[in-house]
Amino acid sequence: MLPDKLTDRAYPTADLGPPALRLASTGTLTYGLSVGEVLGVSTLAGARLIGGRAGLERIVQRLNVMEVPDILAWVKPHELLLTTGYPLRHTPQSLENLVADLDARGVSALGIKLGRYLDALPPRMIEQADRLGFPLILLPADVGFDDILNQVLTDILNRQAAVLARTEEVHRALVQIVLSGGGLQEVVDEVAALLEVAVVAMDGERRMLAGCGPDEHLRAMLEWDGPADPAGPVTDGEHLMVPVLAGGLDHGRIVAYGAGGGLRASDVVGILERAATVVALLITNQQAVAAVESKYRADFLRDVLAGRAGEDDQVIAHCSGFGWDLDRPMTVLVAELDGRDDAADGTGGRAGRRDRGADERLVQERLAAAWTSVVRRHDRHAAVAGFANEVVAVVGAPEEGGAAPDPAVLVREAAAVFSEPHGARHTFSTGISRTVTSPSRLPEAYEQAVKAVRVGRQMHGAGARVHFDQLGVYRLLSLVPDPAELHAFVRETLGELACDDEPEAVDLRRTLQVLLETNLNVAETARRLHFHYNTLRYRIGKLERMLGPFTEDAHLRLNLTLALHVLRMKGI
């Protein structure tokens, strides 16, 4: 006699129709029949649910028969386990924790035949099944396990075959869209129509590339807090996300949204996975075309900045084809990544250098993308290009009564966009030129911006933003056409203090610099350098023996100050 806890429920034979999407224990989506659908096959028409009604949505992908007491070592996730109870007939106490053990191993359900070896199941076993949502099924006595195995496995295989055929058909349709000249939006429109849900394709930073559906549904997908780096399809019942991968790179996501859990079609995952493949093809193709166009534009802008692109009229006409307006007052901005010399992370060998080089290229590309998006937003006719070690923007400068982007605003917004994905781990410095009025003056402006960024970093550190006119004496020094003259001046003025090889020379040079900065205030210099007053007096005497009586000679002090300034411009 069955326990009072038993709940009778017969599942008549019916057309199962398309299965719903199911979440596996890992949180990813998978195919199979739900336990409720398995109970609908003809061989289980007389089956009854004993406990665990909440688990009817569990997936069954395979079947197994319990023939040995140590079955736990042999079960697999998503299995329907069948048993007569024969292995447990002499140890009924093993039934007490069997449900919890099977559930912990991902088994979907347990089907039992009573009456031959077991007359009833312990009430605690049924209580555990209800608590864990683990279906316990009373199997019909007149149905053999082989019949159940054959029919259920056949249904699972037929379902999977139908899904594969459907997704293959969809794949051909999407590829045909691409071959006919369609783009990302047309692919997304087709997928949304096939699934009858809203669909959006987004990049790795969750920016929408194309979308189809009501605005509120598109917002819901963009705002959904799904996994940042999914290895496969994931869902929460309303949203379904599939990563867009190509060549080992993550190009973004494609997301479907069914309000109120509307993602019920069995081929939703298959369709989105095929769509993700096509989207990856489109994105990589767009990137390849954009890379060629970007290189062509960058090469021409490099020629303009080097003064070898031709006459002004020719340059203006050619640039208009790119959407650039160089027939107006212009300012050149140059942005350079900070800390390139400090990029080494201790990784030795050629492989480590390759890894660092690849990382630097990615960061450089991200810097160029940030500047391009910000400059385009403020000045759609500006010229922007990323070079190997810098990003150059030629933007409009304000005329009387006119409006033009404020360089300070551009730098601030570019820094914000650049730091979004990875925080402030990388920074850049920016140099700003004077205003010029013709393409022929752009080489001069470019040199000013380059000097401003490099001198500015020396003066203010990483993240500097400096206009050429703010360089002061450095501006004058940077205008000396022959760097060799500057180096000779430093050697003649500072003598052995110009060398960085000797720590003592570097230390004395630091003392001289602070003395000149404090206008020979010995007490203040001693305080800054944390020296005793007498120690500093001794150092001053040593410096004068090396350099001359600079404490009395104003002209010598000026020369020493300029020489130290030149040293601070090292590498510029």
Side-chain angles (χ1 to χ4, degrees), residues 232-297:
V234 291
T235 187
D236 64 353
E238 288 190 335
H239 304 82
L240 171 61
M241 174 185 288
V242 174
V244 177
L245 306 173
L249 299 176
D250 184 352
H251 292 286
R253 312 282 182 270
I254 183 166
V255 184
Y257 176 78
L263 300 175
R264 292 187 296 272
S266 63
D267 49 0
V268 170
V269 176
I271 289 176
L272 279 190
E273 287 179 332
R274 296 305 179 95
T277 301
V278 176
V279 168
L281 175 66
L282 287 170
I283 290 177
T284 53
N285 182 60
Q286 289 174 356
Q287 289 177 339
V289 173
V292 173
E293 293 180 348
S294 177
K295 185 179 184 307
Y296 180 67
R297 291 167 181 251

Side-chain angles (χ1 to χ4, degrees), residues 37-373:
E37 291 167 337
V38 168
L39 290 172
V41 303
S42 59
T43 55
L44 294 177
R48 300 172 187 272
L49 184 68
I50 297 174
R53 182 181 299 275
L56 288 176
E57 295 300 309
R58 293 185 178 217
I59 301 169
V60 176
Q61 289 185 310
R62 54 179 67 89
L63 288 86
N64 197 357
V65 177
M66 184 176 177
E67 296 178 335
V68 293
D70 60 341
I71 188 63
L72 295 177
W74 306 100
V75 297
K76 297 178 180 178
H78 309 303
E79 276 188 346
L80 169 59
L81 185 61
L82 307 176
T83 184
T84 61
Y86 177 79
L88 304 173
R89 66 192 186 284
H90 300 308
T91 55
Q93 66 273 13
S94 300
L95 292 170
E96 296 291 327
N97 296 315
L98 182 60
V99 167
D101 291 337
L102 293 176
D103 179 70
R105 285 163 175 77
V107 175
S108 298
L110 177 64
I112 305 176
K113 277 190 179 183
L114 296 179
R116 186 170 183 180
Y117 300 109
L118 292 176
D119 292 329
L121 298 180
R124 186 180 172 201
M125 184 178 183
I126 299 175
E127 291 172 1
Q128 276 189 340
D130 285 332
R131 178 170 55 82
L132 296 173
F134 183 87
L136 287 177
I137 303 168
L138 177 63
L139 300 174
D142 58 345
V143 177
F145 285 170
D146 59 338
D147 293 330
I148 298 174
L149 291 169
N150 286 336
Q151 186 169 11
V152 174
L153 287 175
T154 298
D155 283 356
I156 291 174
L157 292 174
N158 288 341
R159 187 66 53 79
Q160 291 177 342
V163 168
L164 289 174
R166 172 63 171 156
T167 54
E168 185 63 28
E169 177 186 350
V170 169
H171 181 71
R172 286 195 297 268
L174 296 179
V175 170
Q176 187 58 42
I177 289 175
V178 176
L179 294 176
S180 300
L184 196 56
Q185 185 61 55
E186 287 75 16
V187 169
V188 168
D189 291 342
E190 180 69 11
V191 174
L194 289 169
L195 299 181
E196 298 182 349
V197 294
V199 176
V200 66
M202 62 181 74
D203 62 17
E205 297 174 11
R206 294 184 179 269
R207 292 189 292 253
M208 187 171 71
L209 302 175
C212 181
D215 290 342
E216 59 272 19
H217 290 183
L218 297 181
R219 284 194 298 271
M221 288 184 282
L222 293 173
E223 295 170 1
W224 179 44
D225 189 21
D229 189 20
V234 291
T235 187
D236 64 353
E238 288 190 335
H239 304 82
L240 171 61
M241 174 185 288
V242 174
V244 177
L245 306 173
L249 299 176
D250 184 352
H251 292 286
R253 312 282 182 270
I254 183 166
V255 184
Y257 176 78
L263 300 175
R264 292 187 296 272
S266 63
D267 49 0
V268 170
V269 176
I271 289 176
L272 279 190
E273 287 179 332
R274 296 305 179 95
T277 301
V278 176
V279 168
L281 175 66
L282 287 170
I283 290 177
T284 53
N285 182 60
Q286 289 174 356
Q287 289 177 339
V289 173
V292 173
E293 293 180 348
S294 177
K295 185 179 184 307
Y296 180 67
R297 291 167 181 251
D299 288 345
F300 187 76
L301 183 58
R302 185 182 288 109
D303 288 342
V304 172
L305 298 176
R308 55 174 181 260
E311 300 297 327
D312 284 355
D313 291 344
Q314 294 174 311
V315 172
I316 291 170
H318 196 94
C319 287
S320 65
F322 298 147
W324 301 345
D325 181 7
L326 300 191
D327 189 15
R328 57 177 177 165
M330 297 165 287
T331 299
V332 176
L333 293 86
V334 172
E336 285 187 353
L337 286 172
D338 296 319
R340 283 188 175 273
D341 293 338
D342 302 324
D345 57 3
T347 305
R350 188 175 301 172
R353 291 193 295 272
R354 283 199 302 267
D355 291 342
R356 291 194 299 272
D359 179 66
E360 286 186 10
R361 284 195 299 273
L362 290 175
V363 176
Q364 182 69 27
E365 290 172 2
R366 187 156 55 84
L367 177 64
W371 269 95
T372 300
S373 64

Side-chain angles (χ1 to χ4, degrees), residues 351-530:
R353 291 193 295 272
R354 283 199 302 267
D355 291 342
R356 291 194 299 272
D359 179 66
E360 286 186 10
R361 284 195 299 273
L362 290 175
V363 176
Q364 182 69 27
E365 290 172 2
R366 187 156 55 84
L367 177 64
W371 269 95
T372 300
S373 64
V374 169
V375 171
R376 288 279 182 267
R377 188 161 59 242
H378 288 272
D379 184 354
R380 62 190 182 92
H381 295 302
V384 190
F387 298 150
N389 298 312
E390 63 193 8
V391 178
V392 179
V394 181
V395 301
E399 300 178 89
E400 291 187 12
D406 182 352
V409 173
L410 296 179
V411 175
R412 184 169 59 250
E413 293 187 9
V417 173
F418 177 64
S419 65
E420 278 178 4
H422 305 288
R425 187 158 58 103
H426 299 285
T427 60
F428 64 87
S429 296
T430 310
I432 306 165
S433 76
R434 292 170 171 168
T435 298
V436 296
T437 57
S438 66
S440 61
R441 298 281 306 281
L442 284 175
E444 174 188 350
Y446 171 67
E447 289 298 324
Q448 292 172 358
V450 168
K451 290 172 182 175
V453 66
R454 297 180 184 176
V455 175
R457 185 187 290 115
Q458 293 282 346
M459 294 170 59
H460 306 295
R465 184 190 76 238
V466 179
H467 193 285
F468 182 71
D469 286 342
Q470 297 173 334
L471 296 181
V473 68
Y474 292 102
R475 187 179 81 213
L476 297 178
L477 293 173
S478 69
L479 294 176
V480 175
D482 186 1
E485 283 294 330
L486 291 176
H487 297 157
F489 172 73
V490 170
R491 289 192 301 270
E492 293 166 3
T493 306
L494 294 178
E496 57 188 286
L497 293 189
C499 179
D500 289 334
D501 297 335
E502 295 294 332
E504 183 182 5
V506 174
D507 194 28
L508 284 171
R509 193 170 71 215
R510 170 64 177 158
T511 302
L512 174 64
Q513 180 176 328
V514 177
L515 271 170
L516 295 174
E517 288 175 352
T518 61
N519 198 23
L520 303 182
N521 187 321
V522 178
E524 176 63 15
T525 301
R527 186 189 67 80
R528 287 194 190 183
L529 296 175
H530 306 289

Side-chain angles (χ1 to χ4, degrees), residues 537-557:
R537 296 298 307 180
Y538 168 77
R539 284 184 168 233
I540 293 174
K542 187 172 185 179
L543 284 169
E544 289 201 310
R545 287 193 296 273
M546 297 173 67
L547 305 172
F550 65 88
T551 57
E552 301 174 358
D553 188 339
H555 291 291
L556 178 55
R557 288 199 299 273

